[in-house]
Amino acid sequence: MAPFQACVRTPFGTVGISATDTHVTGIRYLSPDVPALAPKRGTVAFLACVQLQSYLDNPGFVFDLPMKLTGTRHQLSVWEAMCAIPAGETRTYGELAKSIGSSARAVGGACGANPLPIVVPCHRVVGANGSLGGFMGARQEGFELSIKRWLLAHEGARRG
């Protein structure tokens, strides 16, 4: 099976989508030079592409995809809490941790392990001091944090 069933060009790079016949299983941010790959019509990957385009057109769009999230009980609780953060809003790692009885560092680890970014909006979790925090394992300026910055700006989110 190919690593991606679809690759979508976006303003911030290419998004790779992995899916089975029944669920979206992975989303990856790829370099802007990765070419687009159209999904087969009528597939879950096709539905994911349609919904991703809807989000790009309307930052308030709410994803409704069949997802297969595999992780620890803690990761699943963090991902569920992230899905409750509305578009245009952010929470700090500490605020999210407090809401689920965890620690900010553990929340950061779960954010980094998120297999479905954008759909499970880890970009809405930021540092307590108004910083972006980490993203895709990066804490310094570069490709990764530019994606997080774009997504937050697209949603009109204020930080700090």
Side-chain angles (χ1 to χ4, degrees), residues 1-20:
M1 181 153 105
F4 300 111
Q5 283 63 55
C7 290
V8 180
R9 301 293 306 256
T10 71
F12 52 82
T14 302
V15 174
I17 298 170
S18 300
T20 66

Side-chain angles (χ1 to χ4, degrees), residues 77-146:
S77 67
V78 171
W79 299 336
E80 182 179 344
M82 286 190 297
C83 286
I85 304 169
E89 294 185 21
T90 61
R91 301 289 183 273
T92 67
Y93 294 96
E95 289 169 338
L96 200 63
K98 185 176 180 180
S99 76
I100 63 167
S102 185
S103 72
R105 185 173 297 275
V107 166
C111 287
N114 177 10
L116 297 173
I118 298 182
V119 176
V120 176
C122 53
H123 61 276
R124 297 178 188 154
V125 183
V126 297
N129 60 359
S131 72
L132 287 175
F135 196 64
M136 297 170 52
R139 296 191 56 80
Q140 297 182 6
E141 270 315 308
F143 173 69
E144 297 87 356
L145 287 179
S146 70

Side-chain angles (χ1 to χ4, degrees), residues 29-119:
Y29 297 117
L30 306 170
S31 171
D33 61 350
V34 173
L37 170 65
K40 292 181 182 175
R41 285 193 170 277
T43 64
V44 171
F46 184 83
L47 176 62
C49 291
V50 168
Q51 290 196 15
L52 177 59
Q53 188 59 55
S54 294
Y55 169 78
L56 294 171
D57 293 341
N58 170 14
F61 177 81
V62 177
F63 288 92
D64 182 24
L65 291 169
M67 301 180 287
K68 182 163 181 138
L69 288 169
T70 304
T72 66
R73 188 174 310 163
H74 178 264
Q75 288 171 330
L76 292 170
S77 67
V78 171
W79 299 336
E80 182 179 344
M82 286 190 297
C83 286
I85 304 169
E89 294 185 21
T90 61
R91 301 289 183 273
T92 67
Y93 294 96
E95 289 169 338
L96 200 63
K98 185 176 180 180
S99 76
I100 63 167
S102 185
S103 72
R105 185 173 297 275
V107 166
C111 287
N114 177 10
L116 297 173
I118 298 182
V119 176

